Amino acid sequence: MDLNKGEEGVDWISNLPDSLIHHILSFLNIKHVAQTSVLSKRWSYIWITVPILDFQDWVCIRPTSSETNKFMDFVDGTLHRRHSGANIQRFAITWYNNLNEYRVNSWIFNAVRSNVQQVTLRLIQNEPMIITRSLFTCESLISLKLNVVPSVCFPNYISFPKLKCLELDRVAFSNEYWNEKLFSNCPVLEDFSMEHCTWFGIPSFCISTPALKHFKIDNWEDEWLPRGEDDGLRGCTLKVDAPNLETFYYNGSIAKEYVLTTFPLLLRAVVQFRFKPYVATREQRIDHGAAISQFLRALVNVKRLSVSGDTLQALSFAEDLLEKLPTFHNTKDLIVYEEVTADKALVALLKATPNLESLIFYGPLPSDDEEEDYVAGSDADAAEGEDNHDSEDDVAGSDSDASEGEDNHGSENDDWTLDVVTADPECLFLHLKSVYFLEFSGIPMEIRWLKLILKNAKALQAMSISTCDKFLFNTRREVELMVEILSLPRASTSCVFKLPSWLVSKLDQALLADDKDND
């Protein structure tokens, strides 16, 4: 086809192959795709053979009953008009008002019959939904994403011979029978995610598949359930057998037991246990600490480890903590998010990561992209701080700012921590090259660790500080604190401070104003 003829009235788009037009239409709202059917007979055929049926673009935040009925009629009409031989590549429904369950299941059955490859359902229903069994034995399905409020019930049997991605949100698991065999019928599953799911009366939840690469459990809400309700992982034993696992994300309460195989290929692991020490007995705290140390032993090969302050707090109750933790020889990056109130556990974890090169203290949990940026050392807005100084200062850990004892919810700066740190502090930071304090607020924990690292990390190259909104250098004390930090002694002669450019500017302004006041 010569596109340079410049002939008037030539419809170049209609002369494109069907597959290319289908691809172009996949970027449009489904209602707009339907409107192209009036253009010509060819476009009418194009419309009824489009492989992407994505109804999640036509969404009202609070749809009325009338809008819901129109939506269901539109979906019915779209599927009724489709060419009988046209396959469906992606079928997605998003609607935030109760839909007729029978009609929804008829849509799913139609998609399954059309060899659908990807299914996404995001629905808000009045009652738990029972989805047609045909979906759970679909042989063509490659990706399945279910997010149904209040919940969706799983059948006793599933089979996904081609499924690679499975994302479940608010699924209710209540039958142990299928659980042991569930993943044996998903032989190529690579990506598995569960969020806000419940386990009713299931003593163990098993995941066993050799192809699994990415696994995520995000059940942060279950810690807030009333005590005695056994519908979270608290009453379960979690079993994971996935030798090819590369990323592992866990956010939830402490399970009854963990039976995890070692993951030799693990690249990243995020561990966040929800834990309330003040509602647990001493024996329960010790058991929780032992369970977490057992959990961490399965992650011994991880290259980047992220742990929460709650996790460290629970871990600190484990007896013989230094002996129970494994040695993470492959771990180069450690991210600690949320406020740390258990120095003991953090010291133990640092001793267990002898080859650590990057340490990040982060307020909220960072995304993968944010972690990548900081671990790679990207800090485009940072400016170098003051030159090195030779004066000495007290090591962190000897500060009296931290309270101790179990009565203070695990916040401690006890003799055990002091003994470990002062005995051989350099052993914690032999290979440490970069440290980041993100959302720095100047609390005692941050100051303690900042001093300790600067004084003992001989290989340190960069100490980066980014402030949170609450620490804006508006008071004399904040300015004095930052000046003091920039003047701290450093074991590394090549270590420099890196600050965001706006922070450097604000600090300069504050110092200039202070000089004028003194004059």
Side-chain angles (χ1 to χ4, degrees):
M1 179 185 297
D2 186 358
L3 299 179
N4 298 317
K5 287 183 178 181
E7 301 176 9
E8 295 184 2
V10 177
D11 185 359
W12 297 115
I13 295 181
S14 294
N15 290 328
L16 294 174
D18 289 355
S19 59
L20 185 54
I21 296 178
H22 284 157
H23 180 70
I24 295 173
L25 293 179
S26 68
F27 295 97
L28 300 180
N29 184 294
I30 190 67
K31 289 198 301 182
H32 296 156
V33 175
Q35 292 169 357
T36 64
S37 63
V38 302
L39 296 176
S40 67
K41 290 184 178 180
R42 170 126 193 273
W43 280 95
S44 178
Y45 174 78
I46 292 291
W47 151 239
I48 63 175
T49 58
V50 288
I52 307 298
L53 296 180
D54 194 339
F55 297 95
Q56 58 186 335
D57 290 332
W58 192 36
V59 174
C60 301
I61 297 177
R62 296 180 182 274
T64 64
S65 297
S66 176
E67 290 169 332
T68 299
N69 288 331
K70 290 180 180 179
F71 175 77
M72 291 191 291
D73 291 341
F74 177 72
V75 178
D76 280 338
T78 300
L79 294 176
H80 179 73
R81 295 184 182 93
R82 283 190 60 79
H83 189 278
S84 59
N87 288 335
I88 297 177
Q89 179 181 342
R90 184 170 74 242
F91 180 77
I93 298 287
T94 297
W95 196 253
Y96 300 126
N97 196 359
N98 188 66
L99 296 175
N100 182 281
E101 186 174 299
Y102 175 81
R103 295 173 76 173
V104 173
N105 279 321
S106 70
W107 303 339
I108 297 173
F109 180 78
N110 194 312
V112 171
R113 188 174 56 183
S114 300
N115 301 313
V116 65
Q117 296 181 18
Q118 303 171 35
V119 172
T120 300
L121 299 177
R122 296 186 179 94
L123 308 175
I124 294 181
Q125 299 291 100
N126 292 338
E127 298 178 355
M129 186 175 184
I130 299 177
I131 296 179
T132 174
R133 293 176 180 268
S134 62
L135 177 63
F136 298 100
T137 55
C138 181
E139 296 184 355
S140 60
L141 203 59
I142 296 175
S143 172
L144 176 59
K145 301 178 181 181
L146 298 179
N147 181 355
V148 181
V149 178
S151 66
V152 58
C153 301
F154 251 54
N156 293 338
Y157 175 81
I158 69 170
S159 177
F160 294 120
K162 295 183 180 180
L163 192 70
K164 292 187 176 181
C165 176
L166 178 60
E167 296 183 10
L168 305 177
D169 195 328
R170 303 185 188 276
V171 169
F173 299 101
S174 59
N175 191 319
E176 184 186 5
Y177 171 75
W178 58 263
N179 189 50
E180 294 287 345
K181 301 180 180 179
L182 172 64
F183 294 95
S184 63
N185 297 321
C186 306
V188 297
L189 185 65
E190 296 181 356
D191 193 339
F192 180 47
S193 171
M194 295 187 295
E195 299 188 30
H196 314 130
C197 295
T198 53
W199 291 263
F200 292 97
I202 296 180
S204 63
F205 191 83
C206 307
I207 300 152
S208 178
T209 174
L212 193 65
K213 295 181 179 180
H214 311 287
F215 177 53
K216 177 179 181 180
I217 291 183
D218 191 352
N219 264 38
W220 62 270
E221 289 180 330
D222 64 11
E223 177 62 21
W224 310 108
L225 294 170
R227 290 289 163 175
E229 290 190 11
D230 191 15
D231 52 0
L233 271 177
R234 282 196 303 262
C236 280
T237 294
L238 177 64
K239 300 180 181 180
V240 181
D241 182 9
N244 291 305
L245 200 67
E246 296 178 2
T247 64
F248 191 17
Y249 181 106
Y250 186 95
N251 180 15
S253 60
I254 301 175
K256 179 180 179 180
E257 185 182 0
Y258 297 99
V259 182
L260 311 179
T261 59
T262 301
F263 311 118
L265 305 180
L266 196 61
L267 299 176
R268 300 192 306 275
V270 177
V271 183
Q272 178 166 333
F273 287 98
R274 297 294 173 178
F275 177 66
K276 292 182 179 179
Y278 47 88
V279 296
T281 65
R282 176 179 176 82
E283 290 73 17
Q284 288 174 329
R285 296 177 188 180
I286 294 174
D287 290 342
H288 290 333
I292 294 178
S293 64
Q294 179 188 10
F295 185 98
L296 291 175
R297 284 198 292 273
L299 311 180
V300 66
N301 295 305
V302 68
K303 292 179 173 57
R304 181 189 304 170
L305 177 62
S306 301
V307 296
S308 67
D310 285 347
T311 299
L312 293 174
Q313 185 183 31
L315 185 63
S316 67
F317 294 112
E319 295 180 332
D320 302 323
L321 182 56
L322 287 176
E323 288 73 23
K324 288 187 176 180
L325 279 180
T327 301
F328 298 86
H329 291 289
N330 296 335
T331 304
K332 303 293 184 180
D333 309 311
L334 177 62
I335 298 96
V336 181
Y337 52 92
E338 298 178 344
E339 182 179 350
V340 176
T341 58
D343 288 339
K344 172 181 176 179
L346 182 53
V347 169
L349 190 56
L350 288 171
K351 288 180 68 69
T353 52
N355 298 312
L356 192 68
E357 296 181 359
S358 174
L359 176 60
I360 300 175
F361 293 94
Y362 200 118
L365 174 63
S367 66
D368 286 344
D369 291 340
E370 288 171 328
E371 286 186 14
E372 290 285 357
D373 290 342
Y374 286 111
V375 171
S378 62
D379 197 355
D381 296 328
E384 294 188 1
E386 306 296 327
D387 293 334
N388 294 331
H389 298 269
D390 296 327
S391 61
E392 291 294 324
D393 199 357
D394 294 334
V395 298
S398 61
D399 285 17
S400 59
D401 299 308
S403 59
E404 58 179 317
E406 295 179 354
D407 292 338
N408 289 316
H409 304 172
S411 177
E412 57 177 286
N413 189 14
D414 54 18
D415 294 338
W416 186 95
T417 303
L418 291 176
D419 292 343
V420 173
V421 174
T422 57
D424 188 11
E426 295 181 6
C427 71
L428 300 179
F429 315 114
L430 284 176
H431 303 285
L432 191 63
K433 297 179 180 179
S434 59
V435 178
Y436 303 86
F437 284 91
L438 309 179
E439 300 193 2
F440 184 84
S441 60
I443 62 176
M445 179 279 295
E446 293 172 325
I447 302 300
R448 287 201 310 271
W449 282 99
L450 192 150
K451 289 180 178 180
L452 177 63
I453 294 168
L454 284 176
K455 184 172 183 179
N456 296 286
K458 294 183 177 181
L460 191 65
Q461 299 176 4
M463 171 73 75
S464 298
I465 297 178
S466 297
T467 64
C468 65
D469 294 340
K470 296 180 180 179
F471 197 69
L472 300 177
F473 298 93
N474 290 324
T475 68
R476 178 183 298 273
R477 172 54 189 151
E478 290 170 346
V479 174
E480 292 175 349
L481 178 59
M482 182 52 64
V483 172
E484 177 187 355
I485 289 174
L486 295 175
S487 304
L488 289 173
R490 310 170 199 176
S492 170
T493 58
S494 59
C495 174
V496 296
F497 272 94
K498 293 184 178 181
L499 306 176
S501 57
W502 69 266
L503 195 157
V504 174
S505 176
K506 194 156 190 175
L507 182 59
D508 289 341
Q509 293 174 8
L511 291 174
L512 181 61
D514 190 54
D515 291 339
K516 290 182 179 179
D517 292 339
N518 293 334
D519 293 339

